Amino acid sequence: KAGVTQTPRYLIKTRGQQVTLSCSPISGHRSVSWYQQTPGQGLQFLFEYFSETQRNKGNFPGRFSGRQFSNSRSEMNVSTLELGDSALYLCASRPLRSISSTDTQYFGPGTRLTVL
Amino acid sequence: DAKTTQPPSMDCAEGRAANLPCNHSTISGNEYVYWYRQIHSQGPQYIIHGLKNNETNEMASLIITEDRKSSTLILPHATLRDTAVYYCIVRASGGSNYKLTFGKGTLLTVNP
């Protein structure tokens, strides 16, 4: 079974621009989460989506948004980019067989975003 | 979710067992212990998880103390490719509020 895939793998943008990152979860997985990893803050949770709805959100400004499609694929958008948004953005998926299940989350390779 | 404490770094000789400790003294009864690792600039890789019994899979073994306040991840025969940051994470089972809280982890360096 193919793993979580993310596109693009590398991206360079300038301040003020916006960016959209894409994530395809493992086949059959219904939940997609996004994380940001920076050298200073480490790995931080951004948000989780399932059933095309944001279910859980981390402590990030409104410039960070996302969506999920009916096939569980997800996109993450960052508007008005700042230098501090340079990071590795990671997508992770889990089966979500039921709300009470103990799922394991599997990560994609990440998208390396550099803001100049 | 309970907080975890890990040593910042460890060394291990190639071919020897690597034993990575994790302290989670405030763990609750419904919280699982998860281990992930991250090789430089790649996405975290799931290794193993457990509740209270010891667990083993093709990658590693997880030993959880009887009081569940600490655990040890064991890589039985470490190779150079096991050099990575290893994260110990505690999270409750089920629930719609699912997120993994990563600490700084342990940088394991496997030496030839």
Side-chain angles (χ1 to χ4, degrees):
Chain A
K1 190 184 275 192
V4 178
T5 58
Q6 294 185 244
T7 57
R9 294 292 313 279
Y10 302 90
L11 205 48
I12 299 175
K13 293 285 189 179
T14 56
R15 278 182 300 173
Q17 287 187 309
Q18 74 165 23
V19 67
T20 300
L21 312 181
S22 182
C23 171
S24 293
I26 292 171
S27 177
H29 284 197
R30 298 165 53 201
S31 156
V32 173
S33 294
W34 290 88
Y35 293 79
Q36 180 198 64
Q37 186 173 29
T38 60
Q41 299 299 318
L43 252 159
Q44 293 185 290
F45 171 79
L46 277 158
F47 30 64
E48 180 186 29
Y49 284 84
F50 61 86
S51 297
E52 301 175 58
T53 302
Q54 187 180 95
R55 303 293 180 166
N56 192 12
K57 189 176 188 304
N59 189 24
F60 280 83
R63 300 185 297 107
F64 292 82
S65 63
R67 60 177 176 168
Q68 187 183 36
F69 302 95
S70 58
N71 62 358
S72 294
R73 194 176 67 84
S74 176
E75 288 181 348
M76 189 195 110
N77 186 76
V78 187
S79 62
T80 319
L81 284 166
E82 301 176 0
L83 296 179
D85 296 333
S86 294
L88 181 67
Y89 289 89
L90 294 155
C91 170
S93 74
R94 62 185 179 107
L96 191 58
R97 296 179 188 89
S98 72
I99 292 295
S100 61
S101 68
T102 302
D103 277 344
T104 295
Q105 207 166 56
Y106 296 91
F107 286 80
T111 293
R112 172 75 59 186
L113 172 65
T114 302
V115 182
L116 303 176
Chain B
D1 296 333
K3 181 178 166 57
T4 62
T5 303
Q6 299 178 253
S9 63
M10 293 182 65
D11 285 337
C12 177
E14 190 177 20
R16 304 296 293 270
N19 297 281
L20 292 95
C22 179
N23 182 286
H24 31 79
S25 58
T26 61
I27 193 169
S28 300
N30 68 340
E31 290 183 316
Y32 284 72
V33 180
Y34 284 81
W35 283 84
Y36 284 78
R37 73 180 182 184
Q38 188 174 25
I39 296 168
H40 183 63
S41 291
Q42 298 182 21
Q45 177 187 24
Y46 165 77
I47 301 173
I48 198 167
H49 74 280
L51 183 62
K52 52 185 175 182
N53 298 322
N54 297 338
E55 302 288 344
T56 296
N57 63 19
E58 65 278 3
M59 288 184 68
S61 294
L62 174 60
I63 308 298
I64 303 174
T65 58
E66 194 168 338
D67 64 7
R68 302 212 318 124
K69 294 186 177 185
S70 66
S71 60
T72 301
L73 179 75
I74 301 172
L75 307 179
H77 305 287
T79 70
L80 299 179
R81 286 181 293 182
D82 291 322
T83 292
V85 177
Y86 287 77
Y87 297 99
C88 169
I89 300 165
V90 168
R91 78 162 302 273
S93 62
S96 58
N97 185 8
Y98 189 114
K99 66 175 182 179
L100 296 177
T101 302
F102 287 81
K104 296 189 185 302
T106 296
L107 173 59
L108 174 69
T109 302
V110 180
N111 300 303

